[in-house]
Amino acid sequence: MSAFDGRSAVRDGRSAAASARPGRRMSPGALLTLIGTGAATAAALGFIGAPTPMRLDIPLIAHLAGLLAGYGVVVMVALMSRVPALERGVGADRMARWHGWGGRLVIALILIHGIAATIGWMQLRGLDALSAMVEVIGLPWIGAATVASVMLLGIGYASMRAARRKLGYENWHLIHLATYVAIGLSFPHELAGPDLAGIPVFQVFWSLLYTISFGLLLRYRVLEPLLQFLRHRMRVERVVTEADGVTSIVIRGRHLPELQAESGQFFRWRFLTRTGWRAANPFSLSAPPSEHHLRLTVKAVGESTRAIQTMKVGTRVFAEGPYGAMTEHRRTGSGVLLIAGGVGITPMRALFESLDIDGDQLTLLYRASNEAEIIFRDELEEIAIHRGAHLIYVLGPSADPANAMSGRNLAGWVPDLADRDVYMCASPRFSEAARAGLREAGVSASRVHQEEFAF
Ligand SMILES: Cc1cc2nc3c(=O)[nH]c(=O)nc-3n(C[C@H](O)[C@H](O)[C@H](O)COP(=O)(O)OP(=O)(O)OC[C@H]3O[C@@H](n4cnc5c(N)ncnc54)[C@H](O)[C@@H]3O)c2cc1C
C-alpha cells in the first residue's frame, strides 16, 4: 500500500516493480573480468603474429598498442550501449566514469601506436621522421585512420571538464557523436593492418567484436526506446508545483510493469514539444513506479528544466530507461540510512516509501538550506508515520558545525550507523563530505550506494 497522498504516482496501489520479474544484473567485478579477458585476448593476437624469437621492440609495441586501442573502442561503445543488465548491475554513473578514464587510455594507446609505427618505419626504411610519417600516411587506409585519430583527439579535448562546461551539454553531446564517424574511418585500417590481414579467423573475430558492440548500441539506444515509446504511450497527466522552481510531472502510460523500473532508478526524458524533443535529460523517479504512472520531480537550473516547469498536460513523452543501480538490490543488511541533499531527495523519496525493511530500521536524513526548500514534506512525514520510519531534517547554514556531515554528527543522528547500508544522492561536494563522515563513523565503502546528478 502506498503511504502517499492524492498526488501519488502510486495510487493504483500495486507497485510496478513488485509485479515485475527482477531484471538481470551483471556485477562490476564480473564486467571488469570480462573486459580484462578481452584485453588479454586482443594482446595475444599481437604476440601470435610477432616474429620469433620474440622481443618487446618498437614494432611489437606499435602492434600491441594498436590492438588494445581497437579493442578499447569496442569496450567504450559497449559501456555506453545502455544494456539493461549493466545499467542495473554496474550503474550508469560508474560506467560513465569508466568510459571517461577508458577514453583517455584509448587516446594514449592511439598516440603510442602512431608514434611507435612511425619510428619502426624510420628504422626499417632508414628515413627521417617527416619522410617516414608521409610514407606511413600514404599506406592503404592509414590516411583515413590518421584523420580518425585527429578527430578522437579533438573529441577527447572537448570532453575535458573545462571545455565541456563551456560548450554546454547538448553541444558537447553532438561533438561526441562524431566518435562514430572516427570509428568508421579507422576500422578498415584495423582489418587491413599487419596483425589481422591475411588471417581470416582473426578478421572475423575482430569484426564480430565490433558488430556485437554496435548491435547492442543500436538495440538499446535506438530500437528499444522507439518500441517502448510505441508500446507505453506515455503522456503528462499532471503537473504539480512542489516548491519554488521545483515541479513534479506525473506521467501516465500503458503496460508500465514491463519496464521493470524500480525506486532509485532514473529515465532519460524527452518531452515532445516544439523545442523540448531535442533534449533527453536524466531525472530520477520521485515515487515508486506503479501500473499506470511514473513520477519525476524537476528543479529548474537551466533551459530544459525551466521549460519543464510549465509543461502542458497531455504532452507526449519519450522515455529511455530505466537506468541506474541505486536500488533495493544493492542492500546488504536490514538497516538503511538514506541521505538526501537538496533535489537529491527525488530518488530517496521513492526508496523511503518502497524499501522492503522494517520502518524502525529506516532513517531518511534530508539536508536542505531552509524549511522553504524542503520538497515533499507532507509525503515524507506521512510515509514516516505510516512505516514507523525516522525522518531527520538538517537545515541551516553549512558553516554551522551542527549541520556538518561529520562522523560525529552522523553517528549522533543514527547511533547504529555502522551496521547500516547508506543510500545517498546529493551534489558532488556534499557527497564527498558525507562519504568522509561515513568513513569516520565506521561505515565501509562497500555499503555506501550513491548517485550524483552529474555524469
Ligand atoms: C542520474 C541523474 C538523475 C537526475 N535526477 C534528477 C532529478 O530527479 N531531479 C532534478 O531536478 N534533476 C535531476 N538530475 C539533474 C538534471 O538532469 C539536470 O539538472 C538537467 O539535465 C539540467 O538540464 P538543463 O538544460 O535545464 O540545464 P543545463 O544548464 O543545460 O545543464 C546543467 C547541467 O546538467 C547536466 N545535464 C544537462 N543536460 C544533461 C543531459 N541530457 N544528460 C546528463 N546531464 C545533463 C550537465 O552536467 C550540465 O552542466 C539528474 C541527473 C542525473 C545524471
Side-chain angles (χ1 to χ4, degrees), residues 169 266 280-284 297-299 301-305 346 453:
Y169 186 87
F266 69 95
N281 298 76
F283 299 111
S284 306
T297 302
V298 178
K299 178 172 177 163
V301 295
E303 199 183 328
S304 307
T305 44
T346 52
F453 280 176

Side-chain angles (χ1 to χ4, degrees), residues 92-93 164-165 168-170 173 246 265-268 279-286 296-309 343-347 425 451-455:
D93 54 345
R164 190 172 153 173
R165 205 173 296 134
Y169 186 87
E170 300 303 334
H173 192 244
V246 182
Q265 289 194 299
F266 69 95
F267 284 75
R268 288 182 166 83
N281 298 76
F283 299 111
S284 306
L285 295 174
S286 64
L296 57 144
T297 302
V298 178
K299 178 172 177 163
V301 295
E303 199 183 328
S304 307
T305 44
R306 268 195 296 275
I308 289 171
Q309 308 296 311
V343 74
I345 186 64
T346 52
C425 186
E451 185 105 77
E452 283 172 8
F453 280 176
F455 289 132

Side-chain angles (χ1 to χ4, degrees), residues 131-296:
S131 315
M133 214 184 314
V134 171
E135 273 200 24
V136 168
I137 291 176
L139 294 172
W141 296 112
I142 294 190
T146 307
V147 173
S149 305
V150 173
M151 284 174 75
L152 288 175
L153 275 175
I155 293 161
Y157 174 75
S159 299
M160 282 161 66
R161 202 176 285 259
R164 190 172 153 173
R165 205 173 296 134
K166 245 189 236 161
L167 281 169
Y169 186 87
E170 300 303 334
N171 292 333
W172 167 79
H173 192 244
L174 216 60
I175 291 173
H176 213 75
L177 289 181
T179 310
Y180 301 121
V181 178
I183 295 173
L185 284 173
S186 63
F187 188 64
H189 163 59
E190 293 177 34
L191 283 191
D195 296 305
L196 306 182
I199 314 175
V201 179
F202 287 5
Q203 287 177 317
V204 169
F205 169 72
W206 205 252
S207 305
L208 263 180
L209 283 183
Y210 274 76
T211 309
I212 290 170
S213 67
F214 274 91
L216 291 174
L217 191 83
L218 196 67
R219 172 165 177 195
Y220 291 110
R221 291 192 69 159
V222 182
L223 293 179
E224 290 277 343
L226 271 174
L227 291 174
Q228 256 176 231
F229 174 66
L230 296 173
R231 177 138 181 91
H232 301 296
R233 299 204 187 162
M234 293 187 199
R235 279 184 191 274
V236 173
E237 187 179 83
R238 266 173 303 147
V239 178
V240 181
T241 302
E242 301 285 359
D244 192 22
V246 182
T247 299
S248 283
I249 308 283
V250 177
I251 288 168
R252 188 178 175 87
R254 306 185 318 165
H255 314 297
L256 296 185
E258 290 172 12
L259 290 169
Q260 301 188 343
E262 295 171 69
S263 294
Q265 289 194 299
F266 69 95
F267 284 75
R268 288 182 166 83
W269 306 92
R270 221 178 265 275
F271 293 91
L272 303 187
T273 60
R274 205 161 50 83
T275 51
W277 65 271
R278 282 191 289 241
N281 298 76
F283 299 111
S284 306
L285 295 174
S286 64
S290 74
E291 264 189 273
H292 301 297
H293 293 97
L294 299 173
R295 186 181 75 172
L296 57 144

